[in-house]
Amino acid sequence: MSTKLPALAQWVEEVAALTRPDNIQWCDGSQQEYEGLVDLMKASGDLKELNQETHPGCYLHLSDPSDVARVEHLTFVCTEKAEDAGPNNNWMDPSEARQKMDELFEGSMEGRTLYVVPYCMGPVDSPLARCGVEITDSPYVVANMRLMTRMGSAALARIEREGSFVKGLHCTGDLDPDRRFIMHFPESLTIMSFGSGYGGNALLGKKCHALRIASYQARQEGWLAEHMLIVGIEDPQGQVSYVAAAFPSQCGKTNLAMLIPPASQEGWKVWTVGDDICWMHVGEDGQLWAINPEAGFFGVAPGTGEDTNPNALAMLDRDAIFTNVGVTSSNEPWWEGKSDERPARNWRGADYDDGAGPAAHPNSRFTVSIKRCPSYSDQAEAPQGVPISAIVFGGRRERLVPLVMEAKDWQHGVLLGASMASETTAAATGAVGVVRRDPMAMKPFCGYNFADYFAHWLTVGEKASRAPKVFHVNWFRKDENGRFMWPGFGENMRVLRWIVGRCRGEVGAQDTAIGLLPSPEDLDVTGLDLAPETLEALLSLDQAGWQQELSEIGSYLESYGERLPAELAAQQRRVAEALQA
Ligand code: OXD
Ligand code: MN
């Protein structure tokens, strides 16, 4: 296999001349090719077979311990002008960055195979989908790309038809953290990633293309590329409303995306369209239509259990790749929160020792095709996408932020998204548990200046005459004893029902300075072990605390200087004044 497209053939030749691989393999995406890669990795020790009787087609990959998460401090957006990348990104001059990367890539594939991986983000026949080609020397990356994207011949055919594609160049290198960079060149639709094999740094279709590069393209072309799950919520009469929800990494997007409503919510169902990324376009009817550009999950394993996410467990017993989990004595994958069984070995491949940290790395992952998900939506492949009724923002906030609130209008919704904050998690290297502003859960993923991004969100709202309603949720409030106040997981269905009810004009809310909040009687809490005072606290407004929050939001927004849209500053002032009243 090779290509009819001169621009692609030439790029592959140039990369090969620079990196000097022993072989070049064009990937067709076939099952046979996948099995060949698995055999190769079993032979090299990159993959270990798990128990094939209980977990057919499942393998374990253990990373270098220094390479287990995204590296935000080594991730750069290289636009010609630093202001275009904005204070939300690390910036490097594009020619300096290219030179640095060329030096690293020079001869870096000697003795290795260069894989050419054409892929399509989104259903191959969807006008909303976009294509890319990743060149990598890692068979682990190729195998994961096959599970995560529409990869191979069909994607290549579309690329040859369209003539354009995002170029992604990846090399594992020697995994030296001092020689690790994830560079984005949005103006030339190019990604260069060196020195890491970790998902978010190396599977370039995901964060690098579908968020950083796509968000930049989306602004130019008038659409949105977001860090959001997409679900269909079906009521007992069979009517489905679609919701897109943005939460920072490790705040439960995957769990919410495949939620199973508890018995008390009889007749309600949740259908999974996506768990991490959402591309939305304004349709001719004025609604936002969304596709999931991915074809698989790269989900966080720890905490995935029978009581938290039974759908995920059900899809993980075949054809999955596990990265950095532990194993049991019968060689089945294991992580904290999976079962009461004692693991035999930890994620470093050593015998498990209770005193020596968790068996699975806190950011250990599973990769599996979305088609394995029991709640996979029959609309997930729809070329036109699904119509979005509600956009939900949320973060991990121990205090202050109520369980749920609704924005007064789109502009206020943009403020809710732009002022989102969350406690940091293990998905990225660095301190865990520190509250940071993470607008629209896009802090690590927006490929341009956040001030321009907020302005773009406001513009999309102007274009969409039937824009979704916007909400904010917080599943993570704690009481003075440090206990979670809301049960979360499947019980979040009760909050989703209020959200859907609001979109359909069927349930009440009280107007407050910070937004529309349900009164306790607006939420169905029948059968929940929840004290009335706790519910009251979850739905109340702490005036002094919010005044302080609004002042912090004001300073945060001011840090974007003159590029900040006046409308957003006005929204902040409006809420701050309402809180003084
Ligand atoms: C992810 C992340 O892998 O957000 O989805 O880190
Ligand atoms: Mn994510």
Side-chain angles (χ1 to χ4, degrees), residues 207 227 249 253 276:
K207 304 298 185 180
H227 191 203
S249 314
K253 282 204 297 299
D276 196 42

mmCIF file of all heavy atoms in Angstrom, residues 207 227 249 253 276, ligand 2:
data_model
loop_
_atom_site.group_PDB
_atom_site.id
_atom_site.type_symbol
_atom_site.label_atom_id
_atom_site.label_comp_id
_atom_site.label_asym_id
_atom_site.label_seq_id
_atom_site.Cartn_x
_atom_site.Cartn_y
_atom_site.Cartn_z
ATOM 1 N N LYS A 207 -6.049 14.055 21.789
ATOM 2 C CA LYS A 207 -5.969 15.417 22.327
ATOM 3 C C LYS A 207 -5.317 16.381 21.327
ATOM 4 O O LYS A 207 -5.733 17.526 21.193
ATOM 5 C CB LYS A 207 -5.177 15.417 23.633
ATOM 6 C CG LYS A 207 -5.719 14.486 24.693
ATOM 7 C CD LYS A 207 -7.114 14.861 25.101
ATOM 8 C CE LYS A 207 -7.593 14.007 26.253
ATOM 9 N NZ LYS A 207 -8.962 14.370 26.650
ATOM 10 N N HIS A 227 -13.989 19.266 24.884
ATOM 11 C CA HIS A 227 -13.627 18.131 25.754
ATOM 12 C C HIS A 227 -14.900 17.682 26.485
ATOM 13 O O HIS A 227 -15.075 17.970 27.664
ATOM 14 C CB HIS A 227 -12.563 18.636 26.743
ATOM 15 C CG HIS A 227 -11.887 17.575 27.542
ATOM 16 N ND1 HIS A 227 -11.287 17.831 28.754
ATOM 17 C CD2 HIS A 227 -11.692 16.254 27.300
ATOM 18 C CE1 HIS A 227 -10.762 16.719 29.225
ATOM 19 N NE2 HIS A 227 -10.998 15.749 28.370
ATOM 20 N N SER A 249 -10.284 16.068 33.046
ATOM 21 C CA SER A 249 -9.875 14.662 33.065
ATOM 22 C C SER A 249 -10.089 14.066 34.464
ATOM 23 O O SER A 249 -9.818 14.732 35.465
ATOM 24 C CB SER A 249 -8.390 14.550 32.721
ATOM 25 O OG SER A 249 -8.102 15.347 31.609
ATOM 26 N N LYS A 253 -16.286 11.579 33.346
ATOM 27 C CA LYS A 253 -16.961 11.657 32.044
ATOM 28 C C LYS A 253 -17.340 10.261 31.551
ATOM 29 O O LYS A 253 -18.441 10.051 31.064
ATOM 30 C CB LYS A 253 -16.069 12.332 30.984
ATOM 31 C CG LYS A 253 -16.043 13.842 31.113
ATOM 32 C CD LYS A 253 -15.677 14.551 29.803
ATOM 33 C CE LYS A 253 -14.302 14.227 29.305
ATOM 34 N NZ LYS A 253 -13.254 14.636 30.264
ATOM 35 N N ASP A 276 -15.427 11.572 25.633
ATOM 36 C CA ASP A 276 -14.303 12.493 25.863
ATOM 37 C C ASP A 276 -14.282 13.718 24.941
ATOM 38 O O ASP A 276 -13.863 14.778 25.374
ATOM 39 C CB ASP A 276 -12.977 11.723 25.713
ATOM 40 C CG ASP A 276 -11.792 12.471 26.297
ATOM 41 O OD1 ASP A 276 -11.936 13.050 27.384
ATOM 42 O OD2 ASP A 276 -10.715 12.474 25.665
HETATM 43 MN MN MN B 2 -10.087 13.743 28.356
#
